Amino acid sequence: MALFQPHNVLVTGGAGFIGANFIPSFLSGRPEARVVNLDALTYAGQLENLEGLPDPDRHQFVHGDICDRALVDSLLRKHEIDTVVHFAAESHVDRSISGPAAFVQTNLVGTFTLLEAARQYWREERKLGPEACRFHHISTDEVYGTLGPDDPPFTETTPYAPNSPYSASKAGSDHLVRAYYHTYGLPVTTSNCSNNYGPRQNWEKFIPAIIRACVEGRPIPVYGDGSNIRDWLYVDDHCRGIEAVIRGGRLGESYNIGGRNEWSNISIARLICRRMDERRPAAAPHERLITFVTDRPGHDWRYAIDGQKIETELGWQPQESFETGMDLTLDWYLRPLQ
């Protein structure tokens, strides 16, 4: 099967963490492609994330909301978009507990808006076949719910069982994407990733928050007893996986992208403290800053991804171990502070 060739690409949420890492990677590898980047610039999206892009003339930033149908329609037509890479989402579980409405609006209504606009433009107006366009939806392993200590990792056939407003809204958006393939023939693919880490992540997320606490000498908050387990994936590895699915993934299919890299929260906090001790020995031991705090409601205990499908079908493998990826992450966050 010939690989799909994206040319004019609409990236939603491209000023956020994963999107802002995907765009330079994509532009570097696809010299013929152009990117239109639609981002609402909420707390998680920063224009600074887009500094230093390769060949910036092939990137156009548009400040706007994915729920704005007129704007989405105009971008698809003006730039003759043939590929949508949909990152834009409200993604912080704690925020979804205190304010779920924004998650329903962005993650469900926003995804619906993009799907409808793409269906109208590609299928009804331009009569494009599946070889000529692609809608790729980025989702999360949290839609599968939680695992026990001896449960096998999530696969693409694991039943959905979301436990937070965030994961429920992402599960709903996944189902919409699937429905547009089966009902309308929209050429879609979906990827469900494990926890990402790396440069450009918002400071409120777990790993950047630990780094900042170490730098500032403040308590490092760890939920419960710190035993919650996540599978961690370096963001550049995730970006390579996304592109592999866009170009070679089977239409209508979902692909789990994970690191085969399970760590408990307390183990991560201690690893970062050890790395900070090496970099800033005068403030050692940083582990003294670890503080256990009241667990959050509905806190899933364990996530783990089985990546066999993407590894077998598309030949993707993570390149960074957690230790090497963590060093790259620490170097990036600490460089401005040296």
Side-chain angles (χ1 to χ4, degrees), residues 170-220:
K170 289 298 288 184
S173 67
D174 291 8
H175 292 321
L176 279 173
V177 172
R178 174 185 168 85
Y180 268 68
Y181 172 72
H182 288 281
T183 303
Y184 303 111
L186 195 71
V188 306
T189 50
T190 296
S191 54
N192 296 77
C193 67
S194 57
N195 281 42
N196 277 219
Y197 70 101
R200 302 180 180 88
Q201 192 170 26
N202 188 273
W203 282 106
E204 73 176 6
K205 295 290 189 173
F206 184 60
I207 286 175
I210 295 173
I211 296 171
R212 170 175 272 182
C214 287
V215 169
E216 297 179 355
R218 294 186 292 101
I220 299 170

Side-chain angles (χ1 to χ4, degrees), residues 14 34 102 120 123 129 146 155 168 221 230 235 255 277 286 336:
R34 306 183 68 85
Q120 174 74 30
R123 304 293 284 164
T146 187
T155 70
R230 300 292 182 263
V235 65
Y255 291 82
D277 288 348
H286 290 84

Side-chain angles (χ1 to χ4, degrees), residues 26 32 54 119 151 159 171 184 191 199 214 231 258 289 300 312 326 334:
F26 178 80
E32 76 287 354
R119 179 178 72 87
D151 291 334
Y184 303 111
S191 54
C214 287
D231 175 29
L289 300 173
D300 291 337
T312 301
M326 187 60 71
L334 294 177

Side-chain angles (χ1 to χ4, degrees), residues 120-132:
Q120 174 74 30
Y121 177 60
W122 292 339
R123 304 293 284 164
E124 297 188 7
E125 293 183 19
R126 298 192 61 190
K127 310 296 185 184
L128 297 180
E131 74 288 344

Side-chain angles (χ1 to χ4, degrees), residues 18 138 191 193 196 233-242 257:
I18 305 174
I138 290 90
S191 54
C193 67
N196 277 219
L233 176 66
Y234 188 64
V235 65
D236 285 353
D237 284 332
H238 184 199
C239 292
R240 290 189 304 101
I242 290 169
I257 308 178

Side-chain angles (χ1 to χ4, degrees), residues 6 9-30 33-37 49-50 53-54 59 83-87 136 138 191 196 199-200 234-247 257:
V9 183
L10 175 64
V11 175
T12 70
F17 168 42
I18 305 174
N21 280 280
F22 174 81
I23 289 173
S25 172
F26 178 80
L27 289 174
S28 296
R30 304 274 157 235
R34 306 183 68 85
V35 169
V36 178
N37 177 1
N49 287 339
L50 300 167
L53 287 177
H59 171 267
T83 308
V84 174
V85 187
H86 178 32
F87 292 97
H136 182 73
I138 290 90
S191 54
N196 277 219
R200 302 180 180 88
Y234 188 64
V235 65
D236 285 353
D237 284 332
H238 184 199
C239 292
R240 290 189 304 101
I242 290 169
E243 186 168 352
V245 175
I246 293 169
R247 300 194 68 225
I257 308 178

Side-chain angles (χ1 to χ4, degrees), residues 41-209:
L41 295 181
T42 61
Y43 73 96
Q46 303 291 331
L47 287 178
E48 291 82 2
N49 287 339
L50 300 167
E51 293 176 355
L53 287 177
D55 200 357
D57 290 343
R58 292 191 289 123
H59 171 267
Q60 179 176 333
F61 177 77
V62 178
H63 184 198
D65 191 333
I66 60 172
C67 295
D68 184 341
R69 176 64 187 272
L71 174 60
V72 173
D73 284 343
S74 69
L75 293 177
L76 293 178
R77 293 182 177 88
K78 177 180 178 181
H79 300 281
E80 297 184 340
I81 296 297
D82 56 58
T83 308
V84 174
V85 187
H86 178 32
F87 292 97
E90 293 284 350
S91 65
H92 198 283
V93 175
D94 287 352
R95 286 177 180 259
S96 81
I97 294 170
S98 60
F103 288 72
V104 173
Q105 182 68 19
T106 298
N107 299 351
L108 276 169
V109 178
T111 300
F112 167 73
T113 301
L114 293 167
L115 288 165
E116 270 290 275
R119 179 178 72 87
Q120 174 74 30
Y121 177 60
W122 292 339
R123 304 293 284 164
E124 297 188 7
E125 293 183 19
R126 298 192 61 190
K127 310 296 185 184
L128 297 180
E131 74 288 344
C133 52
R134 193 72 84 247
F135 188 109
H136 182 73
H137 173 61
I138 290 90
S139 189
T140 171
D141 57 1
E142 296 192 36
V143 297
Y144 300 122
T146 187
L147 293 169
D150 300 318
D151 291 334
F154 300 128
T155 70
E156 290 81 1
T157 59
T158 300
Y160 277 28
N163 292 317
S164 71
Y166 161 60
S167 56
S169 65
K170 289 298 288 184
S173 67
D174 291 8
H175 292 321
L176 279 173
V177 172
R178 174 185 168 85
Y180 268 68
Y181 172 72
H182 288 281
T183 303
Y184 303 111
L186 195 71
V188 306
T189 50
T190 296
S191 54
N192 296 77
C193 67
S194 57
N195 281 42
N196 277 219
Y197 70 101
R200 302 180 180 88
Q201 192 170 26
N202 188 273
W203 282 106
E204 73 176 6
K205 295 290 189 173
F206 184 60
I207 286 175

